Amino acid sequence: MYDDKELKEYRDLLKVPDHFEEGFDWKSIVGAVFIGFLMMPGSMYLQLVIGTGIGPAARWVTIILFAEIAKRSYTELKQQEIFLLYYMAGAALASPFQGLLWNQYLVQSDAARMLGLTEFIPAWVAPAPESMSLVERTFFHRDWMIPILLLVGAQVIQRIDHFGLGYALYRITSDVEKLPFPMAPVGALGTMALAESTEEKKKSWKWRIFSIGGVIGLAFGGIYVLLPTVSGLFLAEPIRLIPIPWVELTRHTEGMLPAVATGIQLDIGLIFIGMVLPFWAVIGGLVGLIITVVANPILYQQGILHRWHLGMGTVETVFANNFDFYMSFGIGLGLAIAGFGIWSVLRSFGKNAAGRRGSLKDLFHPPPGRGDFNFWISIGIYVFSTLAYVGLCVWLVPNFPWIFFLGYGFIYTPVISYITARMEGIAGQFVSLPFVREASFIAGAKYFGYHGIEIWYAPIPIHNYGEATVNFRQIELTGTSIRGIIKAEIVVFPVVMVSSLLFSQFIWRLAPIPSSSYPYAQELWHLQALNTLLMQTSTLEGNSLFYQALKGSYVLSGLSFGLVIYALLSLFGLPILLIYGVVRGLGQSTPHGLILEVVGALLGRFFFLKRYGAMWRQYAPVLLAGFSCGMGLTGMFAMGFALILKSLGHLAY
């Protein structure tokens, strides 16, 4: 895997600097407030309307604004200051209270009523459907007090936990084992590009590329987001020139392609995403989609996809197919992918890799100036946070065997995290074992007498910290001290909690969620609720729907298929990223956005890369950031417009 050409291209984009700075000052504090109270509402609103937030937009708008202020103050933003603003924007836009919007829907949903689970959803997740807080659509009610306090407590533990096992694994895989982390430079390049652009002598392509993407984003966002939002305030039905979330074609193709969900998502942001993603991962997704389109009619004719019938749309088709086949098949595929990752990690311990490793001495003597803290402190943080999660789970779900919680936190989590950390370090890929959490819940119900669904909502300590190692590697590549990151976390946390609660409340008061005011949520949340609650029936008494959907033969077929595909790819020397893309495209989600991603990947590979050469690798992330910025600005404007007009209109909440 060390010889994969595409991975080598990403790996060689950046080198580790020899100088580190904190980058934390008053600009960081002002930036956190700016993002939390001006960017977050637009991001939350877009997430409900079109299914994507403005995470990149918020980051780039903040950086541009502060860079311009600095320029007019006859100073510059350092690279570390820019990355810190970028990092804080990501943390601020996490919007934890947005999860409560989902919870209020779930407890009132048709899916919960249909599956008979409404009465089993615990009060510490969301109030009962008859609660006045749901009728009045407000979080400022005593029925929400316990869910909110629990959420805040879990968030505190999570932010502390950020510097626990993930940081320890970063020290092991990066400092001791010297793994290359090929995908880390991609995340660091955008901020470094703008850091250069704040210097007058280097001001060249960065602003131009960013501006091109921004103008495209503003123009498209005006049609895709702003027009439907504004027209919906004055008309009975909003004007949508471009259907949201997609053009539905399933009912038009059902005669020729039975049991196949067809359509196209006309969000041109997907083209820009396709340009940035690794090419073979996108092409693998296309291969997987083609396999699905060919296989589903055959599976339907054989009576395997028997729940599908004429007249079903995308959401119903995807759920029916998942129930009949793809859930079980996907478990097998996931096991195959996890097996590849584990095998790759074991192979990486070979003699060739050993020559690149450091020694244990590097674990306790990190590079000077990087802001590292003692390795044993990170282990202590991991132990403390895991025990805190265990304590919460024992309190919330006293009937579930507590030994499982200890096993999650101290056996499974460190093993899978180390495997993932090495896989990220070698090939830039995430590894997970599918349905470990779910299988353990079912085992608790089957062998230990647990019955209920509270365990599905408990903050159990199953985590995969392997991905965190990439974040720390990005911090290192930008020359930012870890001490600056710690200070940023302390500042950004209260901003996140306050602004997230306030704007979740505002958005909910505008209109019920989901409703026609939030078309993406209205279209997709029902499918998500069905899939989520179907699994939860497995820990209740009786012949649950989950057991009807789970079939061992289909799991084995998915496992076999994955192994055969991997063997073929290896035999012909094809890129390893291709198989991850194939799995992604194999009918396990709505496929409508994949088409434009492929268009973007082909444009990037065969037009822009040939025209601009290796520099295209740096152009593409900046172009995507500019587009996201333009889309985000239209989303923020639409959100503000809706808030003001609905307030002035004296509409009933």
Side-chain angles (χ1 to χ4, degrees):
M1 239 183 263
Y2 277 102
D3 299 325
D4 192 297
K5 277 175 146 184
E6 190 169 16
L7 292 176
K8 190 174 186 306
E9 288 178 10
Y10 285 99
R11 181 187 309 147
D12 294 339
L13 285 175
L14 281 178
K15 302 298 181 185
V16 177
D18 54 10
H19 176 67
F20 297 88
E21 294 184 23
E22 283 191 12
F24 184 87
D25 53 21
W26 65 268
K27 294 187 281 291
S28 306
I29 299 173
V30 176
V33 175
F34 173 79
I35 296 162
F37 287 93
L38 291 179
M39 295 292 185
M40 184 181 285
S43 180
M44 295 170 65
Y45 184 74
L46 280 182
Q47 193 70 49
L48 295 168
V49 172
I50 64 173
T52 56
I54 58 167
R59 292 171 163 181
W60 288 92
V61 168
T62 305
I63 291 170
I64 290 173
L65 175 67
F66 280 78
E68 290 298 317
I69 293 173
K71 191 185 299 180
R72 281 153 181 75
S73 302
Y74 300 101
T75 184
E76 294 177 345
L77 283 181
K78 296 178 181 178
Q79 180 173 290
Q80 292 81 8
E81 291 175 322
I82 285 182
F83 181 77
L84 211 60
L85 287 171
Y86 184 85
Y87 177 88
M88 293 174 75
L93 289 170
S95 189
F97 282 99
Q98 196 167 9
L100 296 186
L101 293 175
W102 165 258
N103 291 350
Q104 63 81 23
Y105 161 72
L106 199 64
V107 77
Q108 304 177 85
S109 66
D110 293 336
R113 282 194 291 271
M114 184 178 73
L115 296 173
L117 296 181
T118 303
E119 63 182 288
F120 294 102
I121 298 176
W124 46 265
V125 171
E130 60 272 12
S131 170
M132 287 304 296
S133 65
L134 300 181
V135 176
E136 298 170 0
R137 300 206 302 275
T138 179
F139 291 120
F140 299 117
H141 190 282
R142 64 182 181 182
D143 290 351
W144 279 105
M145 185 173 67
I146 293 178
I148 289 174
L149 290 176
L150 184 62
L151 177 62
V152 172
Q155 285 293 310
V156 170
I157 299 172
Q158 181 180 324
R159 298 325 298 173
I160 296 172
D161 196 27
H162 183 68
F163 298 94
L165 189 59
Y167 173 75
L169 291 173
Y170 156 71
R171 294 282 295 275
I172 293 170
T173 53
S174 182
D175 293 347
V176 177
E177 302 186 51
K178 311 290 186 188
L179 299 181
F181 288 93
M183 300 308 292
V186 177
L189 265 175
T191 55
M192 296 182 73
L194 267 192
E196 291 179 358
S197 68
T198 61
E199 303 173 25
E200 290 289 338
K201 61 183 179 181
K202 295 182 180 178
K203 186 176 176 183
S204 57
W205 62 267
K206 293 93 177 177
W207 287 105
R208 186 170 68 253
I209 297 295
F210 187 89
S211 299
I212 291 171
V215 170
I216 296 173
L218 283 170
F220 182 71
I223 299 172
Y224 197 58
V225 178
L226 188 59
L227 178 62
T229 301
V230 175
S231 62
L233 297 171
F234 301 101
L235 305 174
E237 286 293 327
I239 299 172
R240 292 198 180 101
L241 300 181
I242 301 175
I244 301 176
W246 52 64
V247 178
E248 177 64 77
L249 298 175
T250 306
R251 294 184 180 91
H252 300 286
T253 60
E254 59 187 11
M256 182 172 56
L257 295 172
V260 177
T262 58
I264 182 169
Q265 190 172 348
L266 297 177
D267 180 357
I268 64 172
L270 295 167
I271 296 178
F272 294 100
I273 292 172
M275 292 176 179
V276 173
L277 291 175
F279 175 77
W280 286 110
V282 179
I283 296 303
L286 177 63
V287 173
L289 177 59
I290 292 172
I291 293 172
T292 303
V293 170
V294 172
N296 281 14
I298 298 173
L299 294 173
Y300 175 70
Q301 294 297 332
Q302 296 298 316
I304 294 174
L305 301 180
H306 61 276
R307 280 180 174 78
W308 183 85
H309 58 76
L310 294 174
M312 281 188 170
T314 290
V315 172
E316 297 91 342
T317 298
V318 170
F319 179 74
N321 292 349
N322 279 345
F323 193 102
D324 289 337
F325 179 74
Y326 280 106
M327 187 188 80
S328 301
F329 188 75
I331 292 174
L333 277 176
L335 289 171
I337 291 295
F340 309 151
I342 294 169
W343 169 244
S344 300
V345 167
L346 293 175
R347 279 200 312 169
S348 72
F349 284 107
K351 293 180 181 178
N352 292 336
R356 281 184 283 268
R357 293 191 195 126
S359 65
L360 284 178
K361 183 176 68 174
D362 297 317
L363 193 62
F364 301 100
H365 296 87
R370 203 173 62 179
D372 294 274
F373 51 90
N374 190 285
F375 175 79
W376 296 113
I377 292 177
S378 64
I379 298 298
I381 290 173
Y382 157 63
V383 172
F384 164 78
S385 61
T386 302
L387 290 176
Y389 282 124
V390 170
L392 271 176
C393 291
V394 170
W395 176 53
L396 294 172
V397 196
N399 297 327
F400 197 82
W402 59 268
I403 195 69
F404 276 79
F405 302 136
L406 292 175
Y408 298 146
F410 293 109
I411 298 176
Y412 175 77
T413 291
V415 171
I416 194 64
S417 295
Y418 180 59
I419 290 171
T420 302
R422 284 195 59 85
M423 193 64 178
E424 288 280 10
I426 295 166
Q429 292 295 328
F430 187 82
V431 178
S432 65
L433 290 174
F435 292 92
V436 169
R437 172 177 173 270
E438 291 81 358
S440 66
F441 293 169
I442 294 168
K446 190 171 183 180
Y447 301 110
F448 293 88
Y450 171 77
H451 296 293
I453 64 172
E454 297 92 343
I455 188 62
W456 296 91
Y457 301 96
I460 65 168
I462 280 191
H463 301 110
N464 192 334
Y465 296 104
E467 195 172 14
T469 58
V470 185
N471 298 330
F472 282 110
R473 177 66 172 176
Q474 289 178 6
I475 294 168
E476 181 183 18
L477 288 174
T478 57
T480 306
S481 169
I482 293 173
R483 295 181 188 277
I485 299 295
I486 295 173
K487 292 177 181 178
E489 288 281 1
I490 294 171
V491 167
V492 83
F493 182 78
V495 173
V496 168
M497 302 312 294
V498 173
S499 57
S500 180
L501 177 59
L502 289 177
F503 291 120
S504 294
Q505 167 80 3
F506 288 159
I507 291 173
W508 194 16
R509 294 294 292 270
L510 284 176
I513 303 175
S515 66
S516 59
S517 298
Y518 307 109
Y520 181 86
Q522 186 178 37
E523 187 72 29
L524 266 294
W525 277 19
H526 180 61
L527 172 62
Q528 293 170 8
L530 284 171
N531 287 330
T532 299
L533 295 171
L534 171 65
M535 188 71 68
Q536 294 177 12
T537 63
S538 61
T539 53
L540 292 174
E541 293 181 282
N543 185 23
S544 77
L545 290 173
F546 172 79
Y547 289 114
Q548 297 177 33
L550 183 65
K551 295 179 175 62
S553 58
Y554 298 164
V555 173
L556 290 175
S557 66
L559 177 62
S560 303
F561 180 82
L563 294 174
V564 168
I565 290 291
Y566 182 78
L568 289 174
L569 288 173
S570 301
L571 181 64
F572 291 104
L574 295 173
I576 195 66
L577 291 173
L578 189 64
I579 188 167
Y580 293 95
V582 170
V583 172
R584 175 171 165 252
L586 272 173
Q588 299 176 78
S589 59
T590 51
H592 306 337
L594 190 58
I595 298 170
L596 290 189
E597 276 189 23
V598 172
V599 171
L602 294 174
L603 281 173
R605 183 84 166 196
F606 298 108
F607 179 74
F608 291 111
L609 190 60
K610 286 187 176 180
R611 181 164 183 175
Y612 299 108
M615 283 300 294
W616 172 246
R617 296 285 188 200
Q618 297 189 39
Y619 291 169
V622 179
L623 189 66
L624 173 61
F627 177 83
S628 300
C629 178
M631 283 288 288
L633 288 173
T634 57
M636 290 164 58
F637 186 76
M639 169 74 177
F641 209 90
L643 279 170
I644 293 169
L645 283 189
K646 292 221 170 186
S647 299
L648 293 176
H650 301 287
L651 297 177
Y653 287 123

